[in-house]
């Protein structure tokens, strides 16, 4: 029996880009940018937002204060403070209210707008958490499908991005993403598991 816990991972190639699922903590990722699931004040909170500000130090919050907030579905960039990641992309997911309040469109927009910022900044690698699936209550399976499909569509059209990693906090989130990715692989042209 091994004493080491090997977190779950899955890798898929989409053209020249790698899409990874890992179980872990996003604050520890060595990528160009990590994405924060923020609220519209951009002034911090609990969950992944709290973890990123704790690990990244006060400089991130100072930069956030200058931004004047962010509406749901949009994204803003700060530096990464003390994190390994050079940048934090702060995006605001929808609060899930049953599905009739444009939640799917807003969640799609979070992923797309975050990647657009990364592209505009010339970045090659981005890590995402499962936006809106904690305090904001988005059902995990549906959020996973939207996140993966939006990122896969984006990667096909933007070859500059070489790596997108979904960092899932806990086994339930990881398994929901893995199942959603396996379903998408059956219908997505050109994507293959590594
Ligand atoms: N690394 C990766 N994922 C994490 C981490 C971590 N260190 N910590 C939590 N998660 P949430 P939301 C997962 O609630 O639903 C904040 O207070 C978590 O298990 O962080 O978009 C903001 O300020 C879940 O799967 O974000 C907003 O007010 C996912 O991250 C509000 O919460 C998202 O959960 C945003 O709610």
């Amino acid at each position: 029996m091994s004493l080491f816990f090997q977190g779950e991972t899955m890798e898929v190639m989409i053209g020249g880009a790698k899409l990874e699922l890992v179980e872990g903590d996003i604050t520890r990722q060595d990528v160009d940018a990590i994405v924060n699931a923020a609220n519209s004040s951009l002034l911090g909170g609990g969950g992944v937002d709290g973890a990123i500000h704790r690990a990244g130090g006060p400089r991130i919050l100072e930069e956030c204060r200058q931004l004047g907030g962010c509406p749901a579905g949009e994204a803003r960039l700060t530096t990464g403070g003390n994190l390994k990641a050079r940048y934090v992309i702060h995006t605001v997911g929808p609060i899930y209210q049953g599905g009739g309040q444009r939640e799917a469109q807003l969640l799609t927009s979070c992923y797309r707008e975050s990647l657009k910022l990364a592209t505009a900044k010339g970045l090659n690698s981005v890590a995402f958490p499962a936006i809106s699936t904690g305090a904001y209550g988005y059902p995990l399976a549906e959020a996973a499908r939207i996140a993966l499909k939006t990122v896969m569509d984006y990667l096909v059209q933007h070859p500059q991005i070489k790596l997108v990693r979904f960092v899932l906090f806990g086994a339930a989130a990881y398994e929901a993403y893995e199942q959603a990715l396996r379903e998408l692989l059956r219908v997505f042209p050109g994507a293959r598991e590594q």
Side-chain angles (χ1 to χ4, degrees):
M1 193 180 91
S2 168
L3 292 176
F4 296 102
F5 173 69
Q6 171 64 56
E8 301 271 9
T9 63
M10 180 173 172
E11 288 184 7
V12 168
M13 292 304 294
I14 296 156
K18 191 186 279 186
L19 177 67
E20 289 183 354
L21 308 184
V22 306
E23 194 184 334
D25 178 353
I26 201 165
T27 66
R28 303 168 74 94
Q29 305 301 312
D30 192 1
V31 287
D32 293 335
I34 65 169
V35 177
N36 182 18
N39 59 63
S40 57
S41 77
L42 296 185
L43 297 179
V48 73
D49 194 5
I52 288 172
H53 282 286
R54 275 195 302 280
R59 180 156 164 217
I60 299 176
L61 190 57
E62 279 162 30
E63 288 181 45
C64 282
R65 283 208 183 91
Q66 310 302 315
L67 295 172
C70 176
E74 294 188 19
R76 303 284 186 270
L77 189 91
T78 67
T79 59
N82 303 329
L83 297 167
K84 281 188 202 155
R86 284 191 287 146
Y87 296 97
V88 177
I89 295 168
H90 305 262
T91 190
V92 181
I95 299 170
Y96 192 77
Q97 297 170 78
Q101 303 297 316
R102 299 176 53 246
E103 292 97 326
Q105 290 100 306
L106 289 168
L107 190 60
T108 301
S109 177
C110 285
Y111 287 96
R112 194 175 291 138
E113 293 300 312
S114 295
L115 289 169
K116 278 201 225 165
L117 277 183
T119 303
K121 207 66 189 168
L123 308 184
N124 303 128
S125 56
V126 180
F128 282 100
I131 297 163
S132 281
T133 66
Y136 282 0
Y138 213 113
L140 200 44
E142 176 61 6
R145 197 190 60 75
I146 290 170
L148 290 162
K149 173 79 166 64
T150 306
V151 167
M152 289 163 85
D153 286 341
Y154 192 90
L155 289 176
V156 169
Q157 288 159 10
H158 299 83
Q160 174 199 301
I161 308 269
K162 301 294 181 211
L163 170 67
V164 171
R165 181 180 295 153
F166 284 93
V167 184
L168 291 328
F169 205 61
Y174 179 85
E175 279 156 24
Y177 268 70
E178 186 181 297
Q179 189 180 338
L181 184 53
R182 289 198 187 286
E183 280 164 20
L184 280 167
L185 277 183
R186 288 206 286 270
V187 294
F188 200 89
R192 59 194 157 78
E193 188 171 357
Q194 282 293 86

